């Protein structure tokens, strides 16, 4: 899989996101800034109007010539000014014909939301309006100023301010993006690219890729590098072990083939011994036959286990009750009538099938039957006289096949190595492959095989089938018992 191009790389995404986030931050800053700028602009006009109105007080007759009024109003940028002193005296400056007022803005007690809304409404204004502004004088809050002015100069000043803010935002975003881009590229992107290249190389050639060399970093990237190096070493060790096991399996297969031929000959000869006139020979012959049977079983199960690998499944809609019945027949047929248990008694087994009619599952019939056969044979060989198979539904649509027996229970050694090949046998001379193969079958189906309980009264195994495996037919699923109790590990 090729690495992504520059335009689709993590670096490009970081660059674009940084620019967008900085611009978003500037927009959030701009909103109160433009409202504050408009308020400051109006306050400056009110202060200038205050000073201009005080010129009336300096005249002897409290009257100002029209030419001077027009000059003062032009300096203020207003059409009319009214100054109210604390003693209620009023000073006025006005053009001869002041225009009609289109809107009134009272700055006394104006709150931030109102000021913000007025600022954006002014920016959206497309016609030239004449506005009246009322507010306390910034020179002396005791004075109240009432001023009539054109709104267009203020809007133009706000637009110029917005342009400066935009230019500054773009400059800041580009500078921040470059700095963040360079920093993150050095701290994250390059190490991540190195990790990605290492993973791709290991996937392509797990055994031939040079060892990945982690850096001395102590952060998460350093941890990931060291874990990748350890994983590569583990994979190499597993591959070498697999090669050795493959060679060993080939050798075992050849030995097993010859050994089974030898055992077949021995079995034929042992059957002739049962017809011997010597009572002692006839007495020990069943034990000899049992030993040969165990040796043949060892060869057969070893070959099956080494040959299977990852189980391929051929899933079909399988009626569950007939499958369980057939598995019981196979398990019983696999037990020779002259085979004895460790206590010297002959092997006899009752197979109780309590799976309801009409229940169908989507599974590999041969593999699922194989798991049930292994459990039945193990129970019989461990000393059980009866095996019972029941079914329960699980929350979420799963299914439990409960295989219980009335045997003496599993010894501690068998529980410790229950699903370990060649180590989990519950009887002397066993190979311990039955449960290991059964668990592989269940896990290949997406479920699992677990030991529910094992006491002197018997042992119960749970074959856990995943949700979605049940095909509901004839309403039988709703008639089965439901269990939401946890399955022990």
């Amino acid at each position: 899989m090729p690495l992504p191009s520059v335009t689709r790389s993590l670096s490009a995404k970081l660059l674009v996101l940084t620019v967008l986030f900085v611009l978003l931050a500037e927009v959030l800053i701009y909103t109160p800034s433009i409202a504050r700028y408009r308020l400051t602009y109006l306050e400056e006009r009110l202060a200038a109007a205050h000073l201009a109105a005080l010129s009336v007080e300096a005249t002897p007759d409290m009257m100002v010539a029209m030419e001077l009024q027009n000059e003062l109003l032009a300096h203020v940028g207003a059409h009319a000014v009214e100054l109210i002193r604390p003693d209620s005296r009023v000073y006025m400056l006005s053009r001869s014909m002041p225009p009609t007022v289109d809107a009134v803005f009272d700055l006394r007690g104006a709150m931030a939301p109102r000021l913000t809304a007025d600022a954006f409404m002014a920016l959206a204004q497309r016609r030239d309006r004449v506005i009246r502004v009322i507010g306390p004088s910034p020179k002396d809050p005791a004075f109240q100023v009432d001023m009539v002015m054109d709104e267009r100069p203020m809007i133009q000043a706000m637009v110029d301010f917005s342009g400066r803010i935009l230019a500054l935002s773009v400059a800041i975003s580009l500078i921040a993006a470059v700095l963040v881009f360079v920093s993150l590229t050095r701290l994250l992107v390059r190490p991540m690219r190195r990790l990605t290249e290492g993973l791709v190389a290991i996937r392509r050639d797990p055994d031939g890729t040079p060892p990945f060399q982690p850096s001395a970093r102590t952060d998460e990237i350093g941890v990931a590098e060291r874990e990748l190096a350890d994983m590569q070493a583990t994979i190499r060790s597993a591959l070498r072990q697999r090669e050795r096991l493959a060679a060993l399996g080939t050798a075992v297969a050849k030995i097993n083939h010859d050994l089974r031929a030898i055992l077949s000959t021995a079995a034929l000869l042992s059957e002739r011994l049962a017809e011997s006139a010597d009572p002692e020979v006839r007495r020990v012959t069943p034990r000899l036959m049992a030993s040969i049977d165990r040796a043949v079983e060892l060869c057969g199960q070893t070959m099956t286990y080494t040959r299977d690998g990852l189980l391929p499944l051929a899933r079909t809609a399988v009626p569950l009750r007939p499958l369980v019945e057939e598995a019981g027949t196979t398990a019983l047929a696999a037990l020779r009538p002259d085979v004895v248990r460790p206590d010297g008694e002959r092997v006899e087994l009752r197979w109780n099938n309590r799976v309801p009619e009409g229940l169908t599952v989507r599974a590999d019939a041969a593999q699922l039957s194989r798991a049930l056969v292994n459990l039945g044979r193990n129970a019989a060989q461990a000393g059980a006289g009866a095996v019972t198979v029941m079914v329960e539904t699980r929350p979420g649509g799963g299914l439990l096949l409960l295989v219980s027996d009335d045997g003496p229970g599993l010894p501690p050694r068998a529980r410790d190595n229950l699903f370990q090949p060649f180590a989990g046998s519950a009887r002397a001379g066993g190979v311990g492959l039955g449960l290991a193969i059964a668990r592989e079958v269940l896990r290949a189906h997406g479920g699992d095989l677990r030991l529910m309980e094992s006491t002197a009264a018997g042992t119960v195994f749970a074959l856990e089938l995943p949700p979605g495996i049940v095909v509901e037919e004839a309403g039988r699923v709703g008639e089965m018992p439901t269990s939401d109790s946890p399955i022990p590990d």
Side-chain angles (χ1 to χ4, degrees):
M1 179 178 179
L3 294 176
S5 61
V6 175
T7 56
R8 300 177 60 187
S9 64
L10 183 60
S11 304
K13 294 178 182 178
L14 288 174
L15 181 62
V16 173
L17 288 176
T18 302
V19 172
L20 292 178
F21 289 156
V22 172
L23 289 177
L24 177 61
E26 292 294 338
V27 168
L28 297 177
I29 295 173
Y30 170 77
T31 299
S33 297
I34 192 66
R36 182 63 189 173
Y37 180 84
R38 175 179 176 274
L39 178 62
T40 302
Y41 181 92
L42 294 177
E43 287 178 342
E44 290 176 354
R45 300 285 79 76
L46 291 177
H50 182 185
L51 294 177
L54 289 178
S55 63
V56 177
E57 191 176 16
T59 60
D61 54 356
M62 304 292 291
M63 295 293 294
V64 180
M66 184 58 65
E67 293 79 5
L68 181 58
Q69 287 192 52
N70 291 337
E71 185 176 349
L72 290 172
L73 290 173
H75 176 73
V76 174
H79 296 287
V81 172
E82 183 178 289
L83 178 65
I84 304 174
R85 293 174 59 95
D87 55 7
S88 300
R89 283 185 294 175
V90 179
Y91 300 137
M92 297 183 60
L93 295 173
S94 177
R95 298 185 186 276
S96 57
M97 293 293 293
T100 303
V101 174
D102 298 311
V104 178
F105 298 98
D106 192 345
L107 303 183
R108 294 171 296 181
M111 303 300 290
R114 182 71 239 178
L115 293 172
T116 302
D118 290 341
F120 282 98
M121 289 177 61
L123 288 174
Q125 194 61 238
R126 290 293 177 266
R127 64 188 184 91
D128 296 335
R129 296 192 305 178
V130 176
I131 62 174
R132 179 185 175 193
V133 183
I134 306 171
S137 171
K139 298 297 183 181
D140 188 348
F143 288 78
Q144 177 179 309
V145 181
D146 191 334
M147 175 178 62
V148 177
M149 57 178 288
D150 291 326
E151 190 180 31
R152 180 55 55 188
M154 180 186 70
I155 294 176
Q156 186 59 48
M158 293 171 66
V159 170
D160 295 341
F161 173 77
S162 300
R164 294 192 297 272
I165 289 290
L166 177 61
L168 182 62
S169 300
V170 172
I172 291 176
S173 63
L174 290 178
I175 294 173
V178 170
L179 293 176
V180 171
F181 175 78
V182 172
S183 301
L184 292 181
T185 298
R186 293 180 61 87
L187 293 175
L188 291 177
V189 177
R190 286 183 182 175
M192 288 297 295
R193 182 175 289 272
R194 182 167 172 262
L195 281 171
T196 303
E197 291 173 349
L199 286 170
V200 172
I202 293 173
R203 182 187 64 81
R204 289 176 178 172
D205 188 3
D207 199 29
T209 304
F212 183 84
Q213 298 297 331
S215 65
R217 295 176 59 158
T218 58
D219 55 9
E220 291 81 357
I221 295 293
V223 173
E225 290 177 342
R226 288 188 288 274
E227 290 296 327
L228 177 58
D230 293 342
M231 183 187 71
Q232 184 183 21
T234 302
I235 291 175
R236 285 188 170 184
S237 177
L239 288 174
R240 296 190 181 98
Q241 182 70 13
R242 187 180 68 176
E243 291 176 356
R244 289 194 291 268
L245 289 176
L248 179 60
T250 302
V252 169
K254 294 178 180 179
I255 296 172
N256 182 77
H257 181 270
D258 296 336
L259 184 58
R260 293 191 70 174
I262 297 172
L263 291 173
S264 298
T265 303
L268 291 175
L269 295 175
S270 298
E271 291 178 356
R272 299 292 299 273
L273 293 178
E275 301 173 0
S276 173
D278 189 342
E280 183 64 22
V281 173
R282 290 198 303 272
R283 186 181 67 82
V284 301
T285 295
R287 295 185 180 180
L288 176 61
M289 295 293 294
S291 299
I292 294 176
D293 285 342
R294 286 197 296 270
V296 172
E297 179 188 0
L298 171 61
C299 294
Q301 291 194 9
T302 302
M303 281 296 296
T304 301
Y305 185 77
T306 56
R307 183 178 62 245
D308 280 347
L310 183 62
L311 291 176
L313 298 182
R315 295 178 184 264
T316 57
V318 181
L320 191 56
R321 181 177 175 83
L323 183 144
V324 173
E325 194 67 35
E326 182 181 354
T329 302
T330 305
L332 294 175
L335 300 173
R336 289 169 54 97
D338 56 348
V339 174
V340 295
R341 298 179 187 148
D343 57 4
E345 296 294 330
R346 294 184 181 278
V347 172
E348 295 181 0
L349 184 66
R350 297 187 307 278
W351 186 268
N352 301 320
N353 184 1
R354 296 185 181 176
V355 176
E357 294 282 359
L359 176 60
T360 302
V361 296
R362 188 166 186 81
D364 188 312
Q367 297 291 358
L368 191 56
S369 175
R370 178 184 179 190
L372 291 169
V373 169
N374 285 351
L375 290 173
R377 293 178 62 189
N378 281 1
Q381 292 169 351
V387 173
T388 303
V389 181
M390 299 181 296
V391 65
E392 291 182 359
T393 58
R394 297 287 290 176
L399 200 69
L400 283 184
L401 277 176
L402 300 178
V403 180
S404 58
D405 64 61
D406 59 354
L410 297 173
R413 177 181 174 275
R415 296 185 192 182
D416 295 339
N417 303 283
L418 193 59
F419 300 105
Q420 295 297 321
F422 306 103
S425 177
R427 62 187 176 90
V431 294
L433 286 176
L435 291 178
I437 293 173
R439 170 174 267 193
E440 286 190 0
V441 169
L442 269 297
R443 288 185 171 178
H445 281 82
D448 205 351
L449 173 64
R450 303 180 189 274
L451 175 65
M452 292 285 286
E453 65 178 21
S454 182
T455 64
T459 300
V460 181
F461 282 95
L463 286 74
E464 183 181 0
L465 296 173
I469 200 170
V470 177
V471 179
E472 298 187 18
E473 292 185 353
R476 301 300 300 181
V477 174
E479 301 177 14
M480 293 185 301
T482 300
S483 172
D484 57 0
S485 58
I487 300 177
D489 293 331

